[in-house]
Amino acid sequence: MDYKKIWKKTDEDLKSSLPAHAYEAWIETLSPVGITNDIFIVEAPNQFAYDWIINNYQDIILSSLKEIDSALQLKVSIAPQSEQNISSVELDKEETTKQSNAGKRNNINPSNIFSSFIEGPNNIFAKNAAHKVASAPGTADFNPLIIYGGVGLGKTHLLHSIANELIGSKKEINVVLASSEKFTNDFIASIQENKTLDFSKVYRNADVLLIDDIQFFQGKEQTQEQFFHTFNELYTNGKQIVMTADRYPGEMVGLQDRLLSRFESGLHADIQPPDFETRVAILSTKAKQNNMKIEGSHLEKIASHVRTNIRDLESCVTKIFAHATLSGDKINEALVESIIRERLGDQGYGQVNMQDVVSGVCSIFSVSQEEMVGQSRRKNIAEARQVAAYLAREVLDMPLSEIGVHLGGRDHTTIMHAHKKVSELLKNDDKFKRRVDIIYNELNLS
């Protein structure tokens, strides 16, 4: 039977057996691709839909397929994000090069591109460095490039963005991207199969070598030895090397000194956790990608509590959408709070808030909360107000406008001035610094 007819019957079965909102949100987005060796292939529109379907609907879809043909198996893939239609006419040389590069994608995520990377003050240097490498690989000042930072902050996204930018260019270029684990496994396999020469050719013929999570080379002496020689040959020949790590190379243990010496000779770009505004932008982008409508206040609430990394932020949006879709309920404050509590736990959700800060500052500076939000400009009241603004920005990472609302409706320029004033006092006034340190200790902010 033709695969389109099979899918039509399957689709009808799923539509009749699933709730309408679930069918419309997930099944209706799937597109049949074909059948190969009894494997029925369907495409999900994006990574988000793919993950949800695999985790929640794969068995249901397979069961419906087997009702039509018991021999069928199911494979769900992700539809290409931007696929050009190539006509049957003869391609010119530039188009042929572009297609040959496209065939090299292998394990490169096509959705990880520079335009989808949300930049902020925490990552702009790393993004610019990665973009420079993609536009001019092998430049001495950017070779090797090491992007480092904590889990889920976007290091791998930038690594894949470099690969996609190079592969999508009209240059004939050999891009090799691998995790440190894959490099190690390939090396071990080459020893077992007596194909070390083939292994060397794969990695040492690269024009651009991209290695993810180099910290996992720690303690693997033979792998480090092999990578050292690979690194040397590529670097000597002016080939670009880009690596990611979870910390600054000089802080790594378990790596050979000669490797660390080479790592430290290049450019290092760190990525820090995103600030409040960047977190809101990440959440907003994630919602738009999945055609979700979430009020700005809900996004700000998530951003105020979930401060760890991008994965945790995006996970909250995914769960909110999933809950709303499956239950048919609207996205409201109660749902948002339940997801945050699920992610952080009650203790995490009960972190210090603005009210705690105001109360703590009022206690130490001997002013009332009414004076704090009032119009008085007496020195002790003004200083207390400025300290509260400073702590709200530094510790709670609240937006300037929101801090102003809590402190009597003051505008963002007043909050910026307060932050600057307190920063200067902390450097130059020991007595003032001790008072602020007491607030830190009492609120467990340190």
Side-chain angles (χ1 to χ4, degrees):
M1 188 184 296
D2 178 72
Y3 77 92
K4 291 182 180 178
K5 292 181 179 178
I6 292 176
W7 182 249
K8 185 179 179 181
K9 286 190 173 185
T10 302
D11 186 64
E12 289 172 352
D13 179 48
L14 293 169
K15 187 175 184 178
S16 64
S17 59
L18 292 172
H21 60 266
Y23 170 81
E24 292 168 4
W26 308 111
I27 307 303
E28 202 169 48
T29 66
L30 295 173
S31 301
V33 175
I35 301 175
T36 303
N37 297 327
D38 288 332
I39 298 175
F40 195 97
I41 305 169
V42 295
E43 283 185 343
N46 51 47
Q47 182 71 46
F48 171 68
Y50 169 84
D51 291 340
W52 190 257
I53 288 163
I54 288 294
N55 291 327
N56 297 277
Y57 293 101
Q58 186 176 24
D59 292 342
I60 298 171
I61 298 170
L62 179 58
S63 177
S64 291
L65 283 171
K66 285 186 173 292
E67 288 290 327
I68 302 168
D69 186 341
S70 60
L72 288 177
Q73 296 299 318
L74 174 67
K75 178 180 179 181
V76 183
S77 60
I78 302 173
Q81 297 299 305
S82 56
E83 191 172 34
Q84 295 182 343
N85 293 322
I86 306 299
S87 66
S88 58
V89 299
E90 185 177 351
L91 298 170
D92 62 29
K93 186 177 180 180
E94 288 184 342
E95 287 174 324
T96 303
T97 299
K98 203 165 186 178
Q99 274 199 298
S100 65
N101 282 340
K104 299 175 184 176
R105 287 191 184 274
N106 295 329
N107 59 328
I108 299 169
N109 188 337
S111 64
N112 284 352
I113 54 179
F114 286 115
S115 61
S116 65
F117 185 84
I118 307 299
E119 66 180 54
N122 61 302
N123 59 31
I124 186 63
F125 179 72
K127 181 184 179 182
N128 288 343
H131 206 280
K132 175 67 176 178
V133 163
S135 61
T139 304
D141 292 340
F142 290 76
N143 198 22
L145 170 63
I146 298 182
I147 302 170
Y148 67 95
V151 174
L153 296 180
K155 303 185 300 296
T156 300
H157 188 132
L158 286 179
L159 202 68
H160 285 249
S161 295
I162 294 171
N164 280 312
E165 186 88 354
L166 290 167
I167 291 172
S169 71
K170 296 179 180 179
K171 300 175 183 177
E172 184 64 54
I173 190 166
N174 183 20
V175 179
V176 177
L177 185 151
S179 64
S180 58
E181 182 181 21
K182 185 178 188 307
F183 184 93
T184 301
N185 291 340
D186 287 350
F187 175 55
I188 293 172
S190 73
I191 296 174
Q192 292 172 338
E193 298 170 14
N194 197 26
K195 293 182 178 180
T196 53
L197 187 59
D198 292 342
F199 168 83
S200 296
K201 284 181 179 179
V202 169
Y203 288 96
R204 298 186 192 182
N205 285 344
D207 295 310
V208 177
L209 177 62
L210 308 161
I211 300 292
D212 204 9
D213 290 326
I214 56 173
Q215 71 272 9
F216 293 124
F217 283 149
Q218 294 170 352
K220 300 170 182 173
E221 293 299 326
Q222 288 191 58
T223 301
Q224 289 184 42
E225 184 79 16
Q226 188 64 220
F227 187 68
F228 173 79
H229 294 300
T230 299
F231 183 104
N232 271 357
E233 184 165 332
L234 293 175
Y235 184 80
T236 301
N237 292 327
K239 307 300 183 182
Q240 179 70 51
I241 304 164
V242 184
M243 298 166 280
T244 69
D246 66 349
R247 70 200 70 184
Y248 179 74
E251 298 175 354
M252 292 182 185
V253 295
L255 290 182
Q256 298 173 1
D257 289 342
R258 58 180 182 172
L259 263 182
L260 290 176
S261 175
R262 278 153 180 76
F263 293 168
E264 292 191 45
S265 67
L267 179 68
H268 312 122
D270 72 320
I271 299 181
Q272 296 295 327
D275 61 13
F276 177 85
E277 288 79 3
T278 306
R279 295 200 298 273
V280 173
I282 290 167
L283 291 167
S284 179
T285 299
K286 181 70 173 178
K288 287 178 182 176
Q289 286 174 348
N290 295 286
N291 297 316
M292 295 172 60
K293 291 183 179 180
I294 305 182
E295 292 181 16
S297 60
H298 295 332
L299 296 179
E300 290 187 0
K301 192 176 191 68
I302 298 169
S304 294
H305 289 87
V306 183
R307 308 172 193 166
T308 48
N309 59 55
I310 297 168
R311 290 179 194 167
D312 285 346
L313 287 168
E314 293 185 337
S315 172
C316 285
V317 175
T318 301
K319 288 189 175 183
I320 287 170
F321 185 43
H323 277 273
T325 301
L326 293 176
S327 65
D329 294 336
K330 291 183 178 180
I331 298 173
N332 54 32
E333 187 172 356
L335 174 59
V336 171
E337 286 191 2
S338 70
I339 296 299
I340 297 173
R341 288 182 186 278
E342 183 182 330
R343 166 59 59 182
L344 301 177
D346 287 338
Q347 185 175 359
Y349 186 76
Q351 296 173 28
V352 172
N353 55 35
M354 186 61 185
Q355 183 57 48
D356 297 327
V357 169
V358 170
S359 297
V361 173
C362 286
S363 174
I364 298 303
F365 280 80
S366 299
V367 301
S368 69
Q369 294 191 29
E370 289 76 13
E371 289 173 321
M372 173 81 78
V373 300
Q375 299 304 312
S376 174
R377 295 187 178 181
R378 278 172 29 210
K379 183 180 179 182
N380 67 316
I381 295 174
E383 279 191 349
R385 194 180 295 131
Q386 290 168 344
V387 169
Y390 174 87
L391 292 174
R393 187 64 178 162
E394 284 292 309
V395 179
L396 304 184
D397 201 13
M398 290 170 60
L400 298 172
S401 57
E402 187 177 342
I403 297 171
V405 170
H406 283 281
L407 296 178
R410 287 164 169 82
D411 62 31
H412 72 281
T413 56
T414 302
I415 304 305
M416 288 174 64
H417 171 74
H419 186 278
K420 182 178 180 182
K421 181 71 180 294
V422 172
S423 297
E424 292 172 354
L425 285 171
L426 288 172
K427 293 177 183 177
N428 303 315
D429 189 332
D430 289 340
K431 182 179 178 182
F432 178 84
K433 184 177 184 303
R434 283 195 294 272
R435 296 176 82 184
V436 175
D437 285 343
I438 292 171
I439 300 170
Y440 267 89
N441 291 333
E442 290 193 353
L443 295 177
N444 294 317
L445 298 176
S446 55

